[in-house]
Structure formats: C-alpha cells, structure tokens
Amino acid sequence: MYKLCICILMIFVCCTTRSNSIEEQFRNNTWLLKSITINNIIINSPENSEISQPTLIVIDDNSCLFQKCAPGFSIGSFSFVSENQILFNEYVTTPVFCQLLTNEIFFNDFDDFINLNLANQFTIQISEEYISPNQSFLRLELIIDENNRLTYYNSPTASNNDNEFKYIKLFPNPVSDFVEIDISGDQKELIESYILYDVTGNIVLKGKLIENKIDLRYLKSGFYFLCFNYDRKKSFKKIKIIKN
C-alpha cells in the first residue's frame, strides 16, 4: 500500500511539472518588460503617459508580439531548441512613432539587442516571486549571458493568449487567393478594420472586414502578418501566401 501511494505521488508530481513547463508558461502568460541589460548596463522599461511596460504575447505556435509605441510593434518567430532554451529565428519591425524621445531611444536599443542576438540561443528562466504570503508573480529572464538579458514579469490581470486571440481563426492557411475569417459568437461586431503587413513591416493591404473574407490574389508568395483592430485592441495572425 505504501509503495502504491509513492507511485501515485510520483505520477502526480510528474504530470504537474509537465503542465507547468517553461514553454507552457512562456506561451500562456502576458509578459511586461521590466528592463534590458546590455553589457551589464540595466536600461529600465518606459513607464510614462505614452507607454507603460511594453508587453510580449505569443500569438500563434511560433510567433510572438512585442508591443511598442502605438501603432508600432515587432513580431518575432521563435522555436524552443531545448526545455529551457529558445531561439528567435526572425524579427520583423514596423515603423515606431514615439512622441517622447526617451521611448524612441529605448525601442531602438531593444531592436538592436534582439537583432544582434538572432543567431544566439536565449536561456529561459522563470521563477516565482512573492509580494506577500498570498500574492506572487512570475519573473521571466531571457538570458544571453550574465551581462546581457531581457527581464519580464507576468501580468496576472491581463488577458492571456487563449482569451485574447483564439476566437479569430484563418482558413485556409497557407492560402493562394481568398482567406476566410472565422470569428466566434458576436465578436465580429467588435472588429473595426484590418491591416496586412509584409515581413519587412510595410503595410500592403488594409480595409474593413466584409463578408468575413479578404482578397489576397494580387499579393506575392511569402509570410504576412494580419492585424485586426477591435475594441481599442489589436489581434495579430501569421499567414502564408503560396502562388502556383
């Protein structure tokens, strides 16, 4: 009986560990940027009237969104090379129009840091920190080495990836002509407009969503990012166009 209880306990611990893996925690949280450390110099994230703590949100299986000064943003494609190591394969940046010079300088430093380390693996560390006995948050470190890293904290009050993006689905994807937009429930009424960006961050198409489909027949093959504007928020989807 004692051995049976030990076995059950080991199975429970194993399953719990898997369900809270580093990759799952990375994907299922909204992360607030605390600081960038470059050559052992800490640069704190902006917290002002224009932007407060830029966010990182995973938007599909291998892409994440980096929020900047509106309407600017960046999207990075990533892959996990091991349980605690991540590689950013590409990094797409749209023009950033910051009103405050300090914000523009910060995001230039951020872009330079990411682009400089595209070929390098980041080690991911996620730890739990307590504000009080009953209140805690997660700390995310994306580490190149002891002198170069990104530091994030999770936002318990922000909508995570599941709630924010799952009700918008694209099909087919890849696509060659028309892409259909599947929006669940009454959420369609919230969609105000869409913008399609190419991988260089340029706008190639924009308009109102009509009949839940978008004509992509005249675009070249390649990857694009489709942004939906709704209820003062943005939802991004990655789409691949293939031409015969």
Side-chain angles (χ1 to χ4, degrees), residues 8 31 55 102 106 119 140 154 157 161 178 195 222 243:
I8 294 174
W31 298 102
T55 58
T102 53
F106 176 85
L140 166 68
N154 76 321
T157 59
N161 179 47
F178 291 89
I195 303 175
K243 300 293 183 179

Side-chain angles (χ1 to χ4, degrees), residues 195-198 202-206 219 224:
I195 303 175
L196 187 69
Y197 297 89
D198 63 16
N202 291 319
I203 297 175
V204 296
L205 195 65
K206 63 181 178 179
L219 297 179
Y224 295 82

Side-chain angles (χ1 to χ4, degrees), residues 28-76:
N28 294 327
N29 278 280
T30 293
W31 298 102
L32 305 178
L33 180 60
K34 178 64 176 178
S35 63
I36 313 172
T37 303
I38 302 176
N39 297 327
N40 208 29
I41 298 174
I42 298 175
I43 306 171
N44 290 320
S45 174
E47 292 191 48
N48 50 56
S49 58
E50 185 173 25
I51 188 168
S52 177
Q53 291 192 292
T55 58
L56 183 163
I57 305 174
V58 175
I59 58 175
D60 63 22
D61 288 344
N62 65 346
S63 299
C64 58
L65 170 72
F66 299 92
Q67 176 204 10
K68 297 181 178 180
C69 300
F73 66 90
S74 295
I75 291 181

Side-chain angles (χ1 to χ4, degrees), residues 58-189:
V58 175
I59 58 175
D60 63 22
D61 288 344
N62 65 346
S63 299
C64 58
L65 170 72
F66 299 92
Q67 176 204 10
K68 297 181 178 180
C69 300
F73 66 90
S74 295
I75 291 181
S77 293
F78 69 88
S79 58
F80 273 82
V81 295
S82 69
E83 183 179 353
N84 67 337
Q85 288 187 312
I86 191 172
L87 180 69
F88 289 98
N89 308 305
E90 59 182 357
Y91 185 67
V92 179
T93 301
T94 64
V96 177
F97 303 100
C98 294
Q99 297 178 5
L100 298 178
L101 180 59
T102 53
N103 290 347
E104 186 172 342
I105 293 172
F106 176 85
F107 287 119
N108 286 337
D109 289 338
F110 182 87
D111 290 340
D112 289 344
F113 181 83
I114 296 293
N115 284 314
L116 183 64
N117 291 291
L118 278 180
N120 300 323
Q121 294 180 10
F122 288 81
T123 298
I124 292 188
Q125 292 181 357
I126 297 180
S127 57
E128 188 171 13
E129 298 189 7
Y130 284 85
I131 302 173
S132 67
N134 299 320
Q135 187 177 8
S136 65
F137 57 86
L138 296 178
R139 177 188 180 100
L140 166 68
E141 299 272 7
L142 296 173
I143 304 167
I144 293 297
D145 55 44
E146 62 181 5
N147 297 320
N148 296 276
R149 67 182 62 203
L150 299 172
T151 302
Y152 286 87
Y153 293 95
N154 76 321
S155 172
T157 59
S159 299
N160 65 17
N161 179 47
D162 291 338
N163 295 330
E164 196 73 16
F165 301 106
K166 275 191 173 179
Y167 70 76
I168 301 178
K169 296 180 180 180
L170 309 180
F171 63 93
N173 190 7
V175 61
S176 60
D177 44 30
F178 291 89
V179 62
E180 301 282 341
I181 316 298
D182 181 18
I183 305 173
S184 62
D186 58 356
Q187 302 293 337
K188 182 180 182 302
E189 303 301 324

